[in-house]
């Protein structure tokens, strides 16, 4: 989801510099189209061609080695992961994840860990799961929890990885 081309360029460069091949980038611009976040992301999910699709905020920076670390954990997970991210909450209400953001550095282990929901600053979705975001989820928050719960309902695992990113947003929940 893009509304700041400078932030988007920095985010792209940080991931492109470490990926093993050419990445496919599908910027969705809800401010220009009038669509909501979930509708815009569903267009990206339908158009993307990879096995794993990253739905990532434009204000995320990928540290060196992130790609390799994330892929190793996804491939090494013993179950069928449909959705992964860097910060989530277990069904028991415990945080799991690892991130550096405007509030500081936080790591809630052990990681990787099965979680019930994920923060939407970065979501990695397995194409073959055929999951989509609920188009009725309003605004630009809580769609990570929704798709994670949908994945669990479909019998897939949802995982918080130990692959921290830098999220530049201080975060705030809209109405």
């Amino acid at each position: 989801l893009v509304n700041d081309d400078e932030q988007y360029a920095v985010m792209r460069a940080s991931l492109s510099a470490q990926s093993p091949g050419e990445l496919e980038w599908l910027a969705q611009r809800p401010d220009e189209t009038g669509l909501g976040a979930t509708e815009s992301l569903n267009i990206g999910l339908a158009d993307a061609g990879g096995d794993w699709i990253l739905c990532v905020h434009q204000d995320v920076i990928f540290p060196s080695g992130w790609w390799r670390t994330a892929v190793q954990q996804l491939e090494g997970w013993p179950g069928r992961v449909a959705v992964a991210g860097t910060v989530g909450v277990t069904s028991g209400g415990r945080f799991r994840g690892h991130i550096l953001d405007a509030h500081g550095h936080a790591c809630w282990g052990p990681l990787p860990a099965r979680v019930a929901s994920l923060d939407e600053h970065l979501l990695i979705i397995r194409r073959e799961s055929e999951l989509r975001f609920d188009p009725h989820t309003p605004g630009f928050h809580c769609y990570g929890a929704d798709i994670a719960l949908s994945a669990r309902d479909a019998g897939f695992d949802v995982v918080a990885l130990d692959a921290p990113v830098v999220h530049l947003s201080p975060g705030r929940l809209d109405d």
Side-chain angles (χ1 to χ4, degrees):
L1 302 174
V2 177
N3 67 3
D4 183 320
D5 288 322
E6 283 184 38
Q7 280 188 340
Y8 178 58
V10 170
M11 182 272 297
R12 275 186 65 156
S14 71
L15 186 58
S16 294
Q18 57 185 297
S19 68
E22 185 67 28
L23 297 175
E24 176 184 23
W25 293 92
L26 302 171
Q28 298 300 316
R29 299 178 182 275
D31 288 353
E32 293 175 11
T33 64
L35 298 175
T38 55
E39 294 168 299
S40 297
L41 290 168
N42 282 339
I43 291 169
L45 287 173
D47 292 347
D51 293 335
W52 291 99
I53 302 163
L54 273 68
C55 298
V56 59
H57 287 185
Q58 66 191 7
D59 61 353
V60 165
I61 298 173
F62 294 91
S64 178
W66 183 89
W67 180 274
R68 181 181 62 255
T69 300
V71 169
Q72 286 173 345
Q73 290 178 45
L74 288 169
E75 290 176 351
W77 186 258
R80 290 184 47 211
V81 178
V83 184
T86 62
V87 175
V89 177
T90 68
S91 57
R94 295 195 187 325
F95 282 100
R96 294 289 183 260
H98 194 174
I99 192 166
L100 178 64
D101 64 14
H103 305 288
H105 177 236
C107 184
W108 303 277
L111 293 168
R114 183 175 284 112
V115 293
S117 67
L118 289 163
D119 185 89
E120 46 277 326
H121 68 277
L122 183 143
L123 297 167
I124 306 168
I125 300 170
R126 184 187 298 267
R127 164 175 291 299
E128 73 181 32
S129 72
E130 299 183 3
L131 289 169
R132 294 296 182 265
F133 295 97
D134 180 347
H136 302 292
T137 303
F140 288 82
H141 298 284
C142 301
Y143 57 84
D146 177 72
I147 200 163
L149 293 169
S150 294
R152 286 183 44 177
D153 286 349
F156 292 104
D157 288 341
V158 178
V159 177
L161 303 173
D162 190 5
V165 296
V166 178
H167 188 204
L168 301 175
S169 172
R172 66 183 184 355
L173 196 58
D174 62 20
D175 291 339

